[in-house]
Amino acid sequence: MHIPQTILIVEDEQAIADSIAYALRTEGFTPLHVTLGEQALAAMRAAPPPLLAVLDIGLPDMSGLEVCRRLRRFSDAPVMFLTARSDEIDRVVGLEIGADDYVTKPFSPRELVARIRVILRRMTPPAPRPAAVAAFEVRPLEARILFRGQPLDLTRYEYLLLKTLLEHPAHVLSRAQLMDRVWTDAPETLERTVDAHVKSLRAKLRLVDAGADPILTHRGMGYSLAL
Ligand code: CA
């Protein structure tokens, strides 16, 4: 499932906003552009909020510094400032308002996006793989999953089902959620179809390790992959 990586652009100069949006799209991000500080704060209250805000300091309704100050009351999202003048840089650096970085106009949008990537990478350290998940190796290009080093002989739906569970370790996924994610091309799938595939999947895992049962049943709720 593709989750949009939304970046908020708060900039009242359309040409600058357009060039940033273009560079972001080229790099696979989803730009969201607003021109006012109030709109920026509203956008950052969305669920889920944008990953990061690119914030111009000179905005029509309030200073970008003030936007950041207000943002910090409810969000830790990183902020990249756009500044036009050196005295603005002094204020960004001097006041500890929680900016992550800044660029001075004129700037290269590609350079800006590269720096955004650095900030986002810093934010999301790779999660350690839980032991049960580490027993599996997903090879998406081959549409194959290995369990304890052994390739599993899975049908397409069994493969997608296991892959989905592996992507959400310890999350209970309801039968309806699994149907939405796995049986995307078969909307009339019944809940008992999910159960039947879990059963056959468990049997195939036991062929590799007779004592293995990493798929947990949560009565009346759904399934999860054990940690
Ligand atoms: Ca401006």
Side-chain angles (χ1 to χ4, degrees), residues 128-136 147-148 225-227:
R129 277 158 59 88
V133 176
F136 293 92
F147 178 51
R148 302 198 191 291
L225 198 92
L227 283 183

Side-chain angles (χ1 to χ4, degrees), residues 11-13 56 58 105:
E11 168 60 82
D12 55 313
E13 286 168 74
D56 182 33
K105 294 176 180 177

Side-chain angles (χ1 to χ4, degrees), residues 75 80 82 134 151 153 165 185 187 210 213-214:
S75 166
M80 162 80 76
L82 303 180
D153 183 18
L165 289 168
D185 53 356
D213 192 10

Side-chain angles (χ1 to χ4, degrees), residues 27-29 112-122:
E27 292 289 317
F29 292 104
L112 173 70
V113 174
R115 283 160 75 168
I116 287 174
R117 276 207 182 286
V118 170
I119 294 173
L120 294 178
R121 214 176 294 132
R122 229 168 30 210

Side-chain angles (χ1 to χ4, degrees), residues 103-115:
V103 293
T104 314
K105 294 176 180 177
F107 57 88
S108 143
R110 283 185 56 195
E111 160 79 16
L112 173 70
V113 174
R115 283 160 75 168

